Amino acid sequence: MRAAGSFKRSVLVAAVLAMLAVPAAAGERQRQKLRTARAVYVELMEAPDRRVPQRLLESSRCVAVIPGVIKGAFGWGGRHGRGVLSCKRGGSWTAPVFVTLAGGSFGLQIGGQASDFVLFFLTERSVRSLLETEFTLGGDVSVAAGPAGRSAEATTDLKLKAEIFSYAKSRGLFAGLSVEGARLGPKKRWIRSYYGPGLTAEAILFDNAVPQPPPDARAFLEVLP
């Protein structure tokens, strides 16, 4: 009997420890994603001869960085990746929220390859749309390949008519790339586990619900324009 009771207690303790470990593991995934997103954005800004036009940086209301988007086919196929998004409010950047990019078939179709994406949002409307419901890039909002290179600064006919401009790194190089057909939306479970229950992407981005972001989030925000 004692052996049976001891076994039950051991099982209970193991279950409790496992439950406590889940939030910690989830938090580490978010922290790692923030660190990777920071590195990807810095790499884009420092890419030789692939400079993002200053006018585009200054006009951006929000920026999303989605590292390691996995391609699952050759020629046509699905995509999936998680990243972070922050918006400019009152001259500073809000705490980042976590987003998911999934589905669709967009550019550079090479099976099994992972690419890093950076999206510049020029309107608040487009961001509010993705928070209300996952939207299709190029369908619900207009999206265009981001201009790059030294000539883009001077000759860009960036009338900035598109709502989102996108860049992707493939084979070690960044280039403007259209992501039409992909769906973008908030990763609600990751947001709750990182910031705490009750916090929504809308509150974080538009109501400044997290005025003091955690260290990894602050490190990401420091590199934004």
Side-chain angles (χ1 to χ4, degrees):
M1 294 293 292
R2 289 181 179 178
S6 177
F7 175 76
K8 290 180 179 179
R9 286 193 296 272
S10 297
V11 172
L12 178 60
V13 169
V16 171
L17 291 176
M19 291 175 63
L20 293 175
V22 170
E28 179 54 34
R29 288 197 296 270
Q30 281 94 312
R31 289 189 290 272
Q32 181 59 47
K33 185 63 67 176
L34 284 160
R35 291 191 290 267
T36 306
R38 184 186 192 278
V40 167
Y41 187 85
V42 170
E43 187 176 358
L44 171 63
M45 292 299 105
E46 296 179 350
D49 296 322
R50 306 301 301 173
R51 195 167 300 150
V52 178
Q54 187 63 30
R55 183 181 173 194
L56 176 56
L57 296 176
E58 293 172 351
S59 301
S60 297
R61 301 294 298 273
C62 303
V63 174
V65 183
I66 309 168
V69 175
I70 302 298
K71 302 176 182 181
F74 183 89
W76 186 95
R79 306 290 185 274
H80 185 271
R82 299 185 182 107
V84 296
L85 179 147
S86 176
C87 292
K88 194 180 297 182
R89 304 289 290 179
S92 61
W93 292 93
T94 65
V97 301
F98 298 95
V99 295
T100 298
L101 182 71
S105 179
F106 44 88
L108 299 180
Q109 303 289 318
I110 302 175
Q113 185 179 4
S115 298
D116 301 323
F117 286 82
V118 181
L119 309 178
F120 294 94
F121 295 74
L122 272 62
T123 68
E124 187 175 293
R125 182 192 80 86
S126 58
V127 177
R128 289 188 180 275
S129 295
L130 84 85
L131 297 181
E132 292 170 1
T133 178
E134 289 189 1
F135 65 70
T136 301
L137 295 169
D140 302 316
V141 296
S142 57
V143 59
R150 293 181 178 179
S151 61
E153 194 72 61
T155 64
T156 185
D157 52 3
L158 266 190
K159 310 277 187 195
L160 301 182
K161 292 181 178 179
E163 294 180 84
I164 302 172
F165 286 89
S166 61
Y167 295 82
K169 185 181 75 172
S170 178
R171 299 183 182 275
L173 297 174
F174 275 99
L177 178 69
S178 176
V179 290
E180 292 184 354
R183 294 187 66 80
L184 187 66
K187 184 67 175 175
K188 297 179 181 178
R189 182 170 57 84
W190 274 32
I191 294 171
R192 289 194 299 268
S193 64
Y194 187 70
Y195 290 111
L199 281 176
T200 64
E202 293 90 338
I204 295 170
L205 293 177
F206 301 121
D207 299 330
N208 196 30
V210 184
Q212 295 296 327
D216 289 297
R218 290 199 302 270
F220 169 73
L221 299 177
E222 288 171 358
V223 301
L224 297 183

